[in-house]
């Protein structure tokens, strides 16, 4: 249940990046008349940031949109909807009276290019290794704070910056906040959810997998026989099925 005060403007996140403003407008209109819609785009690249703000004529219609559009499926993603902190579409994406950005991510750093013999995993491990224990603890605390304050915006941050998600996992492992088996279980549940949905809908076309799903499948496939053997029977069966599907090319060319 949202802890925000219901208003006429809602936040819509996790929008697939190939969706146009017109397509998002059609979805928004499916619950009622729309006063205005503003999709957020990167000023430098012109690409969608994956979220938008929609204004409805009244709180009742906006409330209906939050109820009906949250978890609405588009492709292999589910929309995330909530009431916005914004009270006017004129202020969307701009600094508010408190000097902070509400419901909008600040420009993210471009990062650096990988060396020829370097993988993103090794680059992240190296970056995390350069942090002292106090800084690692602070990173986790900041992530928890942001998640509590605005979980939808945290979803968008991790979607736009997946390397941050991997870094957070590595920090939690190195600081003993979570163990390896818990991470493997989460990866397994995410992958099996996607592959189960695929198997129930089509057997001829490889599923449309994002970069995160592809990486999860690769990690599951690389699990050693010893680790798999030590898992509960249901998880072991799911992993073996994923490995078999990978071997048979069910996921296409990863």
């Amino acid at each position: 249940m949202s802890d925000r005060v219901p208003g006429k403007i809602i936040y819509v996140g996790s929008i697939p990046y190939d969706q146009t403003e017109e397509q998002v407008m059609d979805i928004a209109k499916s619950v009622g008349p729309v006063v205005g819609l503003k999709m957020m785009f990167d000023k430098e690249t012109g690409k969608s940031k994956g979220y938008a703000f929609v204004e409805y004529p009244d709180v009742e219609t906006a409330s209906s949109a939050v109820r009906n559009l949250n978890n609405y499926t588009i492709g292999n993603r589910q929309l995330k909807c909530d009431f916005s902190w914004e009270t006017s579409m004129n202020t969307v994406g701009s600094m508010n009276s408190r000097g902070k950005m509400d419901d909008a991510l600040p420009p993210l750093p471009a990062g650096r290019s990988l060396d020829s013999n370097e993988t993103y995993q090794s680059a992240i491990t190296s970056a995390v290794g350069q942090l002292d224990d106090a800084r690692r603890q602070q990173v986790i605390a900041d992530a928890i704070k942001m998640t509590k304050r605005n979980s939808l915006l945290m979803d968008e941050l991790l979607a736009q910056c997946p390397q941050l998600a991997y870094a957070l996992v590595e920090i939690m492992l190195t600081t003993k906040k979570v163990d390896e088996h818990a991470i493997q279980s989460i990866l397994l549940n995410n992958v099996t959810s996607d592959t189960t949905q695929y198997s129930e809908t089509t057997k001829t076309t490889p599923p449309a997998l994002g970069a995160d799903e592809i990486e999860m499948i690769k990690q599951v496939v690389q699990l050693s026989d010893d680790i798999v053997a030590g898992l509960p029977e249901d998880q072991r069966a799911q992993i073996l099925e994923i490995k078999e599907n990978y071997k048979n090319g069910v996921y296409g060319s990863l």
Side-chain angles (χ1 to χ4, degrees):
M1 187 71 178
S2 173
D3 58 356
R4 302 188 186 184
V5 177
K8 295 188 293 183
I9 300 176
I10 71 168
Y11 166 92
V12 183
S14 294
I15 300 172
Y17 298 116
D18 60 353
Q19 290 288 300
T20 66
E21 200 165 28
E22 291 75 17
Q23 290 172 314
V24 176
M25 176 65 84
D26 289 340
I27 294 172
K29 286 182 176 179
S30 67
V31 296
V34 172
V35 174
L37 181 145
K38 186 173 182 179
M39 279 190 69
M40 307 305 293
F41 295 92
D42 186 283
K43 292 181 179 179
E44 295 184 0
T45 65
K47 295 182 179 180
S48 167
K49 289 187 175 182
Y51 61 96
F53 298 89
V54 182
E55 182 177 6
Y56 289 96
D58 50 57
V59 175
E60 290 74 18
T61 307
S63 299
S64 176
V66 170
R67 290 193 304 271
N68 292 288
L69 297 184
N70 192 44
N71 295 324
Y72 183 96
T73 301
I74 303 180
N76 64 346
R77 303 192 72 179
Q78 290 184 318
L79 296 181
K80 302 297 182 182
C81 297
D82 200 351
F83 294 106
S84 172
W85 297 109
E86 302 285 359
T87 58
S88 170
M89 291 292 279
N90 294 328
T91 62
V92 167
S94 60
M95 290 291 181
N96 63 22
S97 60
R98 293 166 292 176
K100 297 180 179 180
M101 293 290 287
D102 274 345
D103 296 311
L105 291 174
L108 299 176
R112 67 173 180 83
S113 300
L114 297 177
D115 297 333
S116 58
N117 61 343
E118 187 180 32
T119 65
Y120 74 85
Q121 294 100 327
S122 63
I124 292 172
T125 297
S126 176
V128 170
Q130 296 175 25
L131 303 177
D132 59 28
D133 187 62
R135 183 67 181 118
R136 294 180 188 181
Q137 297 290 348
Q138 187 60 51
V139 169
I140 296 175
D142 288 344
I144 293 173
K145 182 178 179 180
M146 182 174 178
T147 300
K148 289 181 177 179
R149 180 182 181 277
N150 193 329
S151 60
L152 295 178
L153 199 59
M154 187 62 173
D155 287 345
E156 289 308 309
L157 174 61
L158 296 179
Q160 291 190 40
C161 193
Q163 60 268 38
L164 175 59
Y166 297 128
L168 288 172
V169 169
E170 185 141 351
I171 290 174
M172 287 190 291
L173 286 170
T174 58
T175 56
K176 309 299 182 181
K177 297 291 184 181
V178 67
D179 61 39
E180 182 180 353
H181 291 292
I183 297 297
Q184 291 169 358
S185 178
I186 293 172
L187 291 173
L188 176 61
N189 289 337
N190 285 338
V191 171
T192 53
S193 175
D194 289 333
T195 56
T196 298
Q197 182 178 11
Y198 158 68
S199 63
E200 292 175 351
T201 56
T202 177
K203 293 293 184 179
T204 58
T205 304
L209 299 174
D212 290 346
E213 288 82 4
I214 290 174
E215 185 57 35
M216 288 177 185
I217 290 175
K218 288 182 177 179
Q219 291 187 36
V220 169
V221 170
Q222 292 172 4
L223 291 176
S224 68
D225 292 340
D226 290 339
I227 292 178
V228 174
L231 294 174
E233 184 177 353
D234 56 339
Q235 292 187 8
R236 184 166 64 251
Q238 290 173 334
I239 288 181
L240 292 176
E241 181 179 357
I242 291 172
K243 286 190 171 187
E244 185 67 21
N245 287 340
Y246 178 83
K247 179 181 178 181
N248 295 331
V250 170
Y251 308 124
S253 178
L254 300 184

